[in-house]
Amino acid sequence: TKGFFNKSITVIPVSKISTIDISQNVLYQFLNIARLKLDSGAGDSVKSEISLVVSMQRANEIKNILGKSKSESKKENYIKSSTKEIMMYAITRNTTTIIIGTIFAINGFLDDLLNLFNIDNNFYNEIGTKISQSANIGTKISQTANIKNFILIAVIIIIIGYIISKLLSVFYYTLKFSNFTVYKDDNCINIKYGELSKKKYSLPINKINAIILKQNLMRQLFGFYSLEI
């Protein structure tokens, strides 16, 4: 139950809860509190159906009551990802979409600048023509050379951008998924990861509807899969 002027009541049968999520950012860790999220999978996929900020002890109590979760005492049911595996995950992620999106975003930003300062779209073309004329670059040979140089520079920029995006991806995911651990008890699959921002998920085994294995082209080359539960 929440709200004062506009009240809303959310009712979820305990048997329908599919995900129990406990997260802590740096401030929450300092205050020893946590955000507890409960989902049945029936609501909005972006916003959790129930989201509470409670003490860390209380969050673990609620998780244990709802999921009947035990500690990860069984060593045979304990899996921990190495730093190398997390780095390989980052390297084999598909960043092409991110690069293309960035290019379109930059292009849109430049268009906004032109409109903001009332600059005609042909402004840069006119400047380029005047520079070419003043420098006496008018022959077909020089034009062909300029086109080749332009293509070469564009290819170099794309390659450098791709390498930088991969390095940033490795740094980000190594930090995000540090200490990534999966363990199983009698009733739940439990996942935890992170140092600066800690995350814990509990998935009741009897609520799992599907396990999906995926491979993009790069992961096929390295023999890696992404697994979705």
Side-chain angles (χ1 to χ4, degrees), residues 160-192:
I160 292 175
Y162 182 80
I163 293 173
I164 292 174
S165 69
K166 286 297 181 182
L167 292 175
L168 291 175
S169 179
V170 168
F171 175 78
Y172 172 75
Y173 287 108
T174 301
L175 186 65
K176 178 180 179 180
F177 291 123
S178 61
N179 197 32
F180 188 95
T181 307
V182 180
Y183 58 96
K184 173 183 173 294
D185 57 31
D186 293 335
N187 300 290
C188 292
I189 298 293
N190 302 283
I191 302 167
K192 65 177 184 179

Side-chain angles (χ1 to χ4, degrees), residues 95-111:
T95 56
T96 305
T97 304
I98 298 174
I99 295 173
I100 293 174
T102 303
I103 292 172
F104 277 108
I106 293 173
N107 183 64
F109 174 73
L110 292 176
D111 287 340

Side-chain angles (χ1 to χ4, degrees), residues 49-100:
E49 292 164 87
I50 296 179
S51 180
L52 308 169
V53 176
V54 294
S55 68
M56 190 63 195
Q57 179 182 354
R58 184 62 175 154
N60 285 322
E61 288 175 356
I62 295 173
K63 186 192 78 168
N64 293 338
I65 291 171
L66 295 178
K68 298 181 177 60
S69 176
K70 301 176 183 178
S71 61
E72 62 265 40
S73 57
K74 298 180 180 179
K75 192 172 182 180
E76 64 272 13
N77 292 331
Y78 183 94
I79 300 172
K80 185 173 182 178
S81 294
S82 65
T83 303
K84 179 181 177 181
E85 289 172 324
I86 296 173
M87 291 176 66
M88 287 301 298
Y89 164 79
I91 291 172
T92 57
R93 276 181 62 88
N94 188 1
T95 56
T96 305
T97 304
I98 298 174
I99 295 173
I100 293 174

Side-chain angles (χ1 to χ4, degrees), residues 2-219:
K2 63 181 179 181
F4 181 77
F5 293 105
N6 297 309
K7 290 187 176 180
S8 65
I9 299 175
T10 301
V11 180
I12 303 177
V14 174
S15 61
K16 299 296 182 182
I17 293 175
S18 59
T19 308
I20 304 167
D21 170 15
I22 298 176
S23 61
Q24 282 184 303
N25 57 28
V26 177
L27 179 60
Y28 282 15
Q29 292 178 54
F30 177 76
L31 298 175
N32 197 30
I33 59 178
R35 181 171 293 279
L36 175 70
K37 297 179 181 179
L38 305 176
D39 289 289
S40 68
D44 189 348
S45 59
V46 176
K47 188 176 180 181
S48 295
E49 292 164 87
I50 296 179
S51 180
L52 308 169
V53 176
V54 294
S55 68
M56 190 63 195
Q57 179 182 354
R58 184 62 175 154
N60 285 322
E61 288 175 356
I62 295 173
K63 186 192 78 168
N64 293 338
I65 291 171
L66 295 178
K68 298 181 177 60
S69 176
K70 301 176 183 178
S71 61
E72 62 265 40
S73 57
K74 298 180 180 179
K75 192 172 182 180
E76 64 272 13
N77 292 331
Y78 183 94
I79 300 172
K80 185 173 182 178
S81 294
S82 65
T83 303
K84 179 181 177 181
E85 289 172 324
I86 296 173
M87 291 176 66
M88 287 301 298
Y89 164 79
I91 291 172
T92 57
R93 276 181 62 88
N94 188 1
T95 56
T96 305
T97 304
I98 298 174
I99 295 173
I100 293 174
T102 303
I103 292 172
F104 277 108
I106 293 173
N107 183 64
F109 174 73
L110 292 176
D111 287 340
D112 291 338
L113 280 181
L114 292 176
N115 294 329
L116 179 63
F117 293 102
N118 294 320
I119 300 174
D120 186 24
N121 288 331
N122 295 322
F123 175 74
Y124 291 111
N125 293 332
E126 292 174 2
I127 291 178
T129 302
K130 290 179 180 179
I131 292 174
S132 298
Q133 291 173 352
S134 62
N136 295 321
I137 304 175
T139 63
K140 293 182 179 180
I141 296 175
S142 61
Q143 289 177 354
T144 303
N146 287 337
I147 292 173
K148 288 182 179 179
N149 289 335
F150 175 79
I151 294 173
L152 180 61
I153 292 172
V155 170
I156 292 174
I157 291 174
I158 291 172
I159 292 173
I160 292 175
Y162 182 80
I163 293 173
I164 292 174
S165 69
K166 286 297 181 182
L167 292 175
L168 291 175
S169 179
V170 168
F171 175 78
Y172 172 75
Y173 287 108
T174 301
L175 186 65
K176 178 180 179 180
F177 291 123
S178 61
N179 197 32
F180 188 95
T181 307
V182 180
Y183 58 96
K184 173 183 173 294
D185 57 31
D186 293 335
N187 300 290
C188 292
I189 298 293
N190 302 283
I191 302 167
K192 65 177 184 179
Y193 59 85
E195 291 296 338
L196 294 179
S197 181
K198 295 184 177 181
K199 289 276 190 178
K200 292 183 180 179
Y201 293 94
S202 291
L203 309 174
I205 293 174
N206 62 348
K207 304 295 172 54
I208 294 175
N209 295 315
I211 297 175
I212 303 171
L213 293 173
K214 292 183 178 180
Q215 279 183 309
N216 59 25
L217 181 59
M218 188 171 289
R219 286 181 180 157

